[in-house]
Amino acid sequence: MANRTPRAISLPLLLLLKAFLLLASLSLAEAKGVTYNVVSFGAKPDGKTDSSKAFLSAWAKACDSNAPAAIYVPPGRFLLGQLVFKGQCSSKAISITIDGTLVAPSDYRVIGNAGNWLLFQYVDGVSIRGGMLDGHGTGLWACKNSGESCPSGATTLRFSNSNNIVVSGLTSLNSQMFHIVINGCHNVKLQGVKVNAAGNSPNTDGIHVQLSTDVTILDSKIRTGDDCVSIGPGTNNLWIENVACGPGHGISIGSLGKDQNEPGVQNVTVKTVTFTGTQNGVRIKSWGRPSSGFVKNVLFQHAVMVNVQNPIVIDQNYCPSNSGCPDQASGVKVSDVTYQDIHGTSATQVAVKFDCSSKNPCSRISLQDVKLTYQNQGAQALCAHAAGTASGLIQPESCL
Ligand SMILES: *[C@@H]1O[C@H](CO)[C@@H](O)[C@H](O)[C@H]1NC(C)=O
């Protein structure tokens, strides 16, 4: 055999291999992006040191990245003041993984007038996975319940004017005000979210959606003092499925029609939900005053009511403290609302109430297989200015 010179062959090969590996790892890093651990920016998991600056520095790095970027929050408690995570970002995919708890200042006055605690604004492609947000709201609730004058309170987590958002496996505890708000957004998915606050905590809506399209809320457990989910003006294509609500005020479209000029709510599906000991089940609510608003194409399907005060309710005569609306009719037009397979127990005799606008009666309301009972007596259905149809087993007897 000829005397081969292995060195002469293997050196260029080795270099080629090295170059190839380098390129491969570079492109891998680019595809996987970089992870920014908040601790390496100075965040302290001790629950006492304000970590706001560290979180904002990590955000700035991720936001400026030309590749997908990740932010990591390790276990521990991180004290944060009011924070704004602002776009527009160079990175079109920022994932935030939280293994720890983010804690609001224990003195509610620090963020009590800030509007929001954690605000994401003008962002695109942000996902938040895991984590607990502790809003420390009990002090503010006590203040509000005592009738003193108090700050209005901060929303715990708000997305404003943002697109392509995912929030999964997040827990919001004791928010001062609303827990999660989706405002002016497109394509938002909330999955496996838990909300926890006392049943008597004021204005602590679980998830509030408004001026937004294509929002999905799945597999979530909401226990709070106000609406589990509230649906405001300008909500289109909302899908809610597999949600447990209670304590709380139920799932509510409204309040609508507070303003004269207001966008409507359409194409809302609320499917497979359980209400336990709540004030309302599925509710549509509008102010008794003129408005351009409307509600149409709504499906409430497969709901179980356990001891719910108002399982099915449309209330178009909302007029808190009788100011600005007495003796006026709601301008909000409610049409094409279907209640399908709703059953369980009512905590009051009136299990179904359609109290619609005298100027704009509810139309094409459909009841299909609705069975609601009240103790051992018959439950009742009340209708005012409501038209529609009933099919299948209907109890109490339809008033449409
Ligand atoms: C209604 O919303 C759902 C998502 O919730 C969407 O898939 C569907 O296309 C929408 N329908 C119309 C007519 O826009």
Side-chain angles (χ1 to χ4, degrees):
M1 219 189 243
N3 221 0
R4 287 182 61 180
T5 52
R7 255 188 141 235
I9 294 167
S10 67
L11 191 60
L13 249 181
L14 202 68
L15 287 174
L16 205 68
L17 197 67
K18 268 194 169 170
F20 174 77
L21 282 176
L22 189 68
L23 277 175
S25 66
L26 275 180
S27 67
L28 200 69
E30 197 160 278
K32 278 177 65 186
V34 187
T35 296
Y36 301 102
N37 186 327
V38 292
V39 167
S40 57
F41 290 87
K44 294 275 183 296
D46 61 7
K48 294 186 296 217
T49 311
D50 189 332
S51 294
S52 299
K53 276 195 180 134
F55 274 65
L56 288 180
S57 303
W59 172 259
K61 284 280 187 197
C63 184
D64 285 345
S65 167
N66 289 316
I71 294 172
Y72 179 61
V73 181
R77 292 172 67 79
F78 296 89
L79 176 64
L80 299 176
Q82 193 224 0
L83 292 186
V84 182
F85 300 96
K86 217 175 186 159
Q88 316 261 339
C89 291
S90 309
S91 179
K92 291 291 165 253
I94 300 176
S95 73
I96 304 171
T97 302
I98 309 175
D99 282 335
T101 299
L102 313 189
V103 199
S106 53
D107 180 349
Y108 61 79
R109 286 168 298 194
V110 177
I111 58 167
N113 282 318
N116 307 288
W117 175 29
L118 307 171
L119 168 63
F120 288 82
Q121 212 174 24
Y122 311 115
V123 300
D124 190 352
V126 168
S127 65
I128 300 179
R129 231 168 310 154
M132 160 101 74
L133 310 179
D134 183 349
H136 257 143
T138 53
L140 179 62
W141 310 340
C143 176
K144 286 183 173 177
N145 285 337
S146 76
E148 290 167 43
S149 80
C150 322
S152 55
T155 287
T156 286
L157 174 65
R158 183 184 187 99
F159 287 92
S160 240
N161 304 100
S162 295
N163 301 326
N164 308 312
I165 304 300
V166 177
V167 177
S168 64
L170 177 88
T171 301
S172 176
L173 179 68
N174 297 341
S175 183
Q176 289 190 352
M177 260 263 289
F178 291 8
H179 287 260
I180 299 174
V181 171
I182 307 298
N183 173 59
C185 295
H186 175 69
N187 191 24
V188 178
K189 185 171 176 183
L190 306 176
Q191 185 161 25
V193 167
K194 287 200 181 106
V195 167
N196 251 306
N200 65 351
S201 55
N203 310 116
T204 52
D205 294 38
I207 300 170
H208 178 74
V209 181
Q210 63 178 20
L211 300 171
S212 295
T213 54
D214 297 315
V215 177
T216 305
I217 301 169
L218 301 176
D219 311 329
S220 294
K221 271 204 167 84
I222 301 171
R223 309 163 58 88
T224 196
D226 209 303
D227 293 338
C228 288
V229 181
S230 53
I231 300 158
T235 301
N236 289 333
N237 303 352
L238 171 65
W239 189 280
I240 298 172
E241 184 169 356
N242 193 24
V243 168
C245 167
H249 292 183
I251 293 182
S252 192
I253 298 178
S255 307
L256 302 178
K258 188 174 186 191
D259 297 325
Q260 168 67 51
N261 286 310
E262 197 181 271
V265 171
Q266 60 184 319
N267 189 17
V268 174
T269 301
V270 177
K271 186 174 171 167
T272 319
V273 287
T274 303
F275 298 92
T276 307
T278 51
Q279 186 196 72
N280 307 286
V282 290
R283 171 167 69 165
I284 297 173
K285 174 174 158 190
S286 77
W287 287 69
R289 52 196 279 172
S291 172
S292 62
F294 62 85
V295 179
K296 64 182 180 192
N297 297 332
V298 177
L299 173 62
F300 297 113
Q301 190 183 46
H302 310 315
V304 177
M305 306 283 171
V306 182
N307 204 30
V308 172
Q309 289 173 44
N310 307 291
I312 292 179
V313 56
I314 298 179
D315 171 12
Q316 293 209 260
N317 290 301
Y318 181 59
C319 190
S321 44
N322 263 341
S323 69
C325 34
D327 306 317
Q328 297 186 61
S330 176
V332 174
K333 293 167 193 64
V334 177
S335 63
D336 295 288
V337 181
T338 299
Y339 301 85
Q340 196 176 63
D341 181 28
I342 316 275
H343 65 268
T345 55
S346 176
T348 68
Q349 189 158 28
V350 178
V352 177
K353 182 166 151 185
F354 298 129
D355 184 9
C356 296
S357 165
S358 57
K359 278 218 176 102
N360 300 282
C362 297
S363 61
R364 296 187 297 278
I365 305 296
S366 170
L367 292 169
Q368 304 167 18
D369 298 305
V370 171
K371 185 178 179 203
L372 295 163
T373 58
Y374 171 62
Q375 297 176 355
N376 296 323
Q377 314 154 41
Q380 274 180 21
L382 294 182
C383 287
H385 314 292
T389 57
S391 65
L393 176 70
I394 303 293
Q395 187 188 334
E397 195 181 328
S398 170
C399 56
L400 291 169

